[in-house]
Amino acid sequence: KILAHGPGVIAWVDNPDGSGSWHQLKPNLKPQDAYVIVHSSNSSDITENNPPAGKAYSAGSTGQFPIIAVQIVTPKGKKPDVIIVSGETPIGGYEPMWTSEYYKVPLDGPQVISNIFAWSLEMTKKPETSSSSSGSGSSICGPALIVGLAALPLLLRKKRE
């Protein structure tokens, strides 16, 4: 169990330059090598609190929605890159997913977020496989930098205490 205090949902566009159509992220409709790793409960609902309206999901929809997704992209001849997309603040923010307790309810936030970062680092160590997706050949920022930036607020918070 983790806290998602008003998260956004994850959607995707079928053309990387942004001119394509927006889609809900579903197991049978998703980019290659993309996976939902955290989703809302089955009783979640979508509301529009600020304009503009969403392009893939509609206000009033209920059900289970993707909150964190990953895509593993392996540029030809290179090791995999892991892109993590989150509709909620993992670390920092008003009430982040990192929270270990909320109104005296114990949560698994620190373990879940740590597991996501550890897994993404392991994935970038794997050699290219024949079933991996092809990329544009340009490198993207790896998870090590994300982990470094994510840990910074924790270090600053500990200093203040």
Side-chain angles (χ1 to χ4, degrees):
K1 248 188 319 191
I2 63 167
L3 179 66
H5 200 273
V9 292
I10 306 298
W12 64 283
V13 177
D14 57 17
N15 189 345
D17 72 4
S19 66
S21 299
W22 285 83
H23 302 279
Q24 295 180 11
L25 185 60
K26 297 183 174 192
N28 60 343
L29 182 63
K30 63 181 184 70
Q32 182 178 353
D33 294 326
Y35 309 93
V36 174
I37 56 174
V38 174
H39 56 77
S40 67
S41 68
N42 289 326
S43 61
S44 299
D45 58 16
I46 294 181
T47 59
E48 292 288 353
N49 295 323
N50 301 304
K55 296 182 180 184
Y57 300 88
S58 300
S61 298
T62 59
Q64 189 179 79
F65 303 104
I67 296 173
I68 301 177
V70 299
Q71 185 175 15
I72 303 165
V73 179
T74 306
K76 191 171 185 148
K78 296 187 178 188
K79 291 185 178 191
D81 287 319
V82 177
I83 302 168
I84 302 171
V85 181
S86 178
E88 178 61 293
T89 307
I91 300 172
Y94 174 68
E95 285 292 343
M97 286 187 273
W98 184 267
T99 301
S100 60
E101 183 180 291
Y102 191 67
Y103 288 102
K104 301 190 186 220
V105 174
L107 299 170
D108 300 314
Q111 187 63 57
V112 170
I113 300 305
S114 296
N115 287 350
I116 291 170
F117 286 138
W119 170 82
S120 67
L121 288 170
E122 280 302 310
M123 289 303 296
T124 61
K125 294 178 185 176
K126 291 188 175 185
E128 180 181 2
T129 64
S130 59
S131 65
S132 62
S133 62
S134 63
S136 64
S138 63
S139 178
I140 60 172
C141 177
L145 180 58
I146 295 170
V147 171
L149 292 175
L152 185 59
L154 290 174
L155 295 173
L156 293 174
R157 183 176 176 187
K158 283 189 182 255
K159 264 188 164 178
R160 285 188 226 144
E161 292 176 353

